[in-house]
Amino acid sequence: METSQEDSLCTEMLLVTANVGSLFEDPERLLQLWLHEFLDKVSHVQAKFLALHLQEVGGKTYEKSMEYVQEFIKALCDAPVMSDYTCVQIFMDEDFKSAEHFTALGNLYFVHQDVASLKLWNFLTHSWEEDLQVIKGKHIYSGNIETIATKEKSKFPQHFFPECKWSRKGFMRTRWEINGTVFDLVNIHLFHDASNLAACENFPSVYCKTRRRALVHTIERFHLDKQNGTVPFFLFGDFNFRCDTEGVVKELTQNLSAHRVQNIKNENDKINYRNSTGDNVLTVGKKEFSHADHQLKFKEDWLKKFDRELEPLKDVLVEYPIQFVPSYPFEEDPEMPTDYMSTRCPAWCDRILMSPLVQEIVSNDESTYGMIGEAVCMGDHKFRFSNNLQAVN
């Protein structure tokens, strides 16, 4: 909806999602690059409310890398460009020893001193906390945050997981009231594709079905939450959405012949697709997806028609048009910032989605949906942002 210039209660927001697993595994090379790109975006947008959703906090080797998380938070909070954000709420799920609860999610929120009215929901008392602008200060919750009532966090049920092996997948949400406008902000991390060979057998793949099940489970949980009620929500994180791999392979291998290369250990099985002169054009293995023109082919518009995982949920989740290249999997080498790894078919894993009700509370005529760090190495995921979202009452 449009909002008149006289409406002083409009609040511009910047929403960002980033999988930071690579960042914490190679902090010496990547930490400062990441922070520079994020802070540059903050400086450029000058939003009054910043929401940063992180996945894989601490990296895959979190037992060794979690020490860098506090360094990251300090560098972020102490940056000069953040000095006017006088209210900070940070929730970092770092208790990796708790198999039942650990999600490695991080929800970070920064509120500008000019915001007139701000409230945060308590999911235990089912009521609003006192006005946070009166408190003014940094509230950082880390380690084991299970008892913190101003967030709701849940790991997906164990039977949702492939092979019933628990990994760091779940969601964490907070609820806000900004100048009279109420909405939820939900961080989510869904399941990845374990094998390219299995993923390209059919669509939807077994992995796609598992992701959809977890996503529907989450949305239904919100709708059935009688104690906290239902409000408009933004759902942004690493959905691990993949392209219709079966369709992509068919598109890429027209007029090519398939040659299966088998190994005693099935882990190394692969299929080579060759042209009439015997040259390999595409190779697909469990963890290999390599095209002869890998760095250009997947940045072309043809790939978008295979981005299909949201199709069954188009009535319950809304997304701005995608006008950027796939966000994953980029090389984790600062010398190769725009190159994709040849491990997976590039895809739009990192998304910012909304419930249809959001359209009633935002003025989004000039909203921007894009990628941060396009020319800089940010790890294997480029992080996604949406700004110019005007929360209105």
Side-chain angles (χ1 to χ4, degrees), residues 193-347:
D193 280 14
S195 168
N196 295 322
L197 292 170
C200 68
E201 288 179 356
N202 49 58
F203 183 84
S205 71
V206 60
Y207 310 116
C208 175
K209 291 177 181 177
T210 302
R211 285 190 287 271
R212 189 176 299 165
R213 182 185 183 191
L215 186 53
V216 169
H217 164 82
T218 303
I219 296 171
E220 287 182 342
R221 174 169 172 156
F222 298 156
H223 284 299
L224 296 173
D225 188 348
K226 302 300 183 182
Q227 291 182 305
N228 294 299
T230 302
V231 304
F233 63 83
F234 294 90
L235 182 65
F236 51 114
D238 179 5
F239 292 81
N240 261 315
F241 285 167
R242 305 302 167 95
C243 293
D244 168 4
T245 312
E246 178 192 29
V248 170
V249 171
K250 287 182 179 178
E251 178 85 4
L252 293 175
T253 59
Q254 296 180 45
N255 303 317
L256 301 181
S257 58
H259 301 266
R260 180 174 289 273
V261 179
Q262 290 186 304
N263 192 284
I264 296 176
K265 294 183 178 180
N266 292 331
E267 295 284 315
N268 295 320
D269 281 4
K270 63 177 66 176
I271 302 175
N272 292 324
Y273 295 90
R274 299 170 184 166
N275 59 23
S276 58
T277 60
D279 299 320
N280 275 353
V281 176
L282 179 71
T283 298
V284 180
K286 181 178 180 180
K287 295 184 178 181
E288 181 179 2
F289 198 96
S290 179
H291 190 270
D293 191 19
H294 201 79
Q295 301 312 326
L296 295 177
K297 191 67 176 177
F298 299 107
K299 295 175 182 177
E300 299 171 356
D301 286 341
W302 69 271
L303 189 61
K304 289 182 182 177
K305 68 182 178 183
F306 295 104
D307 176 45
R308 302 177 53 197
E309 288 209 26
L310 267 180
E311 287 179 352
L313 299 174
K314 61 182 180 180
D315 293 332
V316 294
L317 290 173
V318 179
E319 183 178 25
Y320 291 118
I322 291 177
Q323 298 175 331
F324 40 82
V325 300
S327 63
Y328 170 89
F330 282 94
E331 291 283 357
E332 299 169 307
D333 184 346
E335 301 299 319
M336 307 167 68
T338 63
D339 285 0
Y340 288 114
M341 289 191 282
S342 56
T343 53
R344 308 288 182 190
C345 176

Side-chain angles (χ1 to χ4, degrees), residues 90-95 98 101-107 140-154 171-172:
I90 295 177
F91 307 88
M92 305 292 281
D93 184 11
E94 300 175 325
D95 188 11
S98 176
H101 303 293
F102 182 50
T103 64
L105 295 174
N107 291 24
I140 302 174
Y141 308 103
S142 59
N144 187 316
I145 60 173
E146 296 307 308
T147 61
I148 306 303
T150 48
K151 64 92 188 72
E152 179 191 21
K153 181 176 72 70
S154 179
F171 75 86
M172 179 157 59

Side-chain angles (χ1 to χ4, degrees), residues 19-34:
N19 184 309
V20 291
S22 302
L23 179 68
F24 291 107
E25 289 161 27
D26 192 1
E28 292 185 3
R29 294 200 303 171
L30 300 181
L31 182 61
Q32 292 306 316
L33 286 173
W34 194 101

